[in-house]
Amino acid sequence: MKKVVTNIEDRSRARRKTSPPVVDTAPAAASWPDRLHAVLRDMAIHQVAYVPDSGHARLIALVQSDRGMRAIPLTTEEEGVALAVGAWLGGDRSVLLTQSSGVGNCINMLSMVQECRVPLLMLVTMRGEWGEFNPWQLPMAQATQPVLTAMGVVVHRADDADQIVQTVSAAGRLAFNTSRAVAVLISQRVIGAKEFKK
Amino acid sequence: MKTPRRKPVLDRRAVVAEILKRRNGALVVAGLGAPCWDTAAAGDNPLNFYTWGGMGGAAMIGLGLAIAQPKRRVLIITGDGEILMGLGALATIGVQQPPNISVIVMDNEHYGETGMQATHTRLGVDLAGVAKAAGFRAAATIYDNAELRTWVPRLCSEPGPVFAAFKVTTDHAPLVLPRRDGTALKHRFREALLGVEEAYK
């Protein structure tokens, strides 16, 4: 077990061509996206696929400036599920960043990771659940966890900022050590409701 | 703006066999349905990944693979219905510009597994045009053997992303069914590519 972890760290280091990137002014105590980025790096994640969400904005910026990671913007979230299959076939680790509405787009493609036992790590920022302004977000917010569970995806929740990093770290170990699909739902309490300013 | 329709005449089995003859270690992702049977008919290989589901995902599997294995050629062999279900993947590949990818569509202009209903390509949609507009370095629609002979080597070695739609007939070809257990297909692919130790780490 210990050997595996060491090896992952070695691979991570081998991929990195430069020292950790600096994106704008980092606060003295790193914010959770910064710590999350470090966790993904330590897991030797190479391919980072995403459909943007404001909750993932800083993490995406960190990934884009990290030469050891490949930022892969998608047109729709199920592309990221299929990408994870190809990445794994080729010996790469990937992660899929999405907002909760994007989970609905993934449903059929999740068949593939289930049938092929491909590790899939999804980081899902929730919309439509905490102080939401936009009523169109609510149906998918309510359905996110049941849909994932129905497709056999293991679901972890992180309801406050302090939980996010350790939850993602545990989810990543579960996904890659047991070849399973694991989603971490990051509460809208952490992100905050989007403000519609005039 | 529609160009006059040209009747497809190429034989799908012959086209896929011609391409795979020159694969030279390439990694192959086969789209569900007839492209899987065509790929299996050309000779099974542990570096063939046959999809039996996840329609619309073949090109993206190829992208993940191509980024993970930049030194290997990745051939995505799929159908017109399959690629139409995930057209955004062409845009995503266009943005990534993987030099080692070829997207190859066996375009018979019909949904062959569900009763031969017309696809959008029968109704005027130009897949090579979409690929070109999405940023592929080269893209073409191939109608005859002369074009095929020029394009097969390009698909196997030219810096990509490269796209080709082969206009093939709807003639019936005998079923050649590859393995269908997804986990088994994954294991044998990773074993052959990465070695047994790495595959099960």
Side-chain angles (χ1 to χ4, degrees):
Chain A
M1 194 66 192
K2 198 171 180 182
K3 198 180 165 197
V4 172
V5 172
T6 309
N7 196 341
I8 288 166
E9 284 167 355
D10 286 344
R11 282 168 55 187
S12 169
R13 246 181 259 123
R15 277 224 162 89
R16 299 184 51 68
K17 296 176 193 88
T18 55
S19 53
V22 179
V23 176
D24 58 53
T25 49
S31 65
W32 65 263
D34 296 74
R35 284 181 286 138
L36 199 48
H37 170 242
V39 163
L40 297 178
R41 211 174 51 209
D42 291 344
M43 264 183 226
I45 301 282
H46 180 222
Q47 303 188 29
V48 182
Y50 61 90
V51 175
D53 177 64
S54 52
H56 284 312
R58 178 159 177 83
L59 180 58
I60 290 168
L62 289 163
V63 167
Q64 285 169 336
S65 62
D66 184 339
R67 294 178 64 193
M69 289 182 175
R70 178 80 168 244
I72 305 169
L74 310 170
T75 69
T76 174
E77 292 79 359
E78 69 265 36
E79 287 179 11
V81 179
L83 182 93
V85 174
W88 186 247
L89 286 174
D92 245 4
R93 292 180 170 206
S94 67
V95 65
L96 172 59
L97 314 180
T98 163
Q99 75 167 241
S100 47
S101 49
V103 168
N105 293 345
C106 294
I107 300 173
N108 184 52
M109 209 62 83
L110 288 168
S111 313
M112 199 145 62
V113 290
Q114 282 296 104
E115 168 56 21
C116 300
R117 286 272 313 277
V118 166
L120 174 69
L121 178 60
M122 296 174 75
L123 308 186
V124 182
T125 43
M126 295 301 298
R127 294 281 315 267
E129 61 166 12
W130 189 265
E132 180 61 63
F133 173 81
N134 179 357
W136 294 49
Q137 288 280 355
L138 263 71
M140 195 59 228
Q142 292 293 301
T144 297
Q145 187 155 353
V147 154
L148 288 167
T149 306
M151 288 310 294
V153 178
V154 177
V155 177
H156 290 347
R157 277 201 69 105
D159 287 322
D160 63 65
D162 291 342
Q163 292 176 347
I164 295 173
V165 172
Q166 59 175 2
T167 307
V168 170
S169 173
R173 275 177 279 141
L174 191 60
F176 294 109
N177 289 338
T178 73
S179 295
R180 290 300 196 291
V182 186
V184 177
L185 308 189
I186 300 171
S187 172
Q188 195 171 9
R189 279 178 90 158
V190 178
I191 314 294
K194 182 177 173 183
E195 284 187 47
F196 289 81
K197 289 175 188 158
K198 283 184 182 162
Chain B
M1 281 306 284
K2 276 185 195 172
T3 47
R5 180 171 182 266
R6 246 173 102 177
K7 198 174 171 346
V9 296
L10 292 169
D11 175 67
R12 58 185 312 139
R13 287 283 156 90
V15 172
V16 172
E18 197 58 33
I19 295 165
L20 291 179
K21 233 193 284 180
R22 294 166 174 268
R23 70 185 285 169
N24 192 26
L27 312 174
V28 174
V29 179
L32 80 184
C36 273
W37 329 147
D38 299 335
T39 302
D44 192 25
N45 188 308
L47 295 177
N48 290 351
F49 187 73
Y50 307 100
T51 60
W52 286 76
M55 186 162 174
M60 287 302 299
I61 299 176
L63 179 62
L65 194 48
I67 292 173
Q69 292 287 328
K71 290 181 180 156
R72 304 290 284 253
R73 191 76 184 186
V74 175
L75 306 175
I76 297 139
I77 301 176
T78 190
D80 43 314
E82 206 275 344
I83 200 87
L84 282 164
M85 194 170 280
L87 270 189
L90 295 179
T92 298
I93 291 170
V95 166
Q96 292 295 322
Q97 290 291 307
N100 53 335
I101 266 192
S102 297
V103 178
I104 301 159
V105 177
M106 293 298 117
D107 183 3
N108 69 357
E109 307 183 341
H110 290 81
Y111 292 102
E113 302 297 313
T114 57
M116 282 294 169
Q117 300 87 352
T119 65
H120 286 24
T121 62
R122 174 70 183 81
L123 305 168
V125 171
D126 168 16
L127 289 173
V130 173
K132 210 171 280 176
F136 276 61
R137 290 172 65 116
T141 308
I142 314 294
Y143 288 92
D144 58 39
N145 281 310
E147 292 168 329
L148 178 134
R149 276 190 295 276
T150 327
W151 270 83
V152 168
R154 296 184 66 177
L155 291 168
C156 295
S157 59
E158 186 172 297
V162 182
F163 179 97
F166 289 88
K167 289 289 185 180
V168 297
T169 70
T170 54
D171 293 352
H172 177 77
L175 273 185
V176 181
L177 301 182
R179 293 185 194 186
R180 62 185 190 280
D181 183 301
T183 307
L185 288 165
K186 172 199 71 173
H187 283 318
R188 78 167 189 161
F189 190 101
R190 282 170 51 90
E191 276 185 37
L193 179 63
L194 310 169
V196 173
E197 200 165 319
E198 178 72 20
Y200 297 104
K201 209 154 63 182

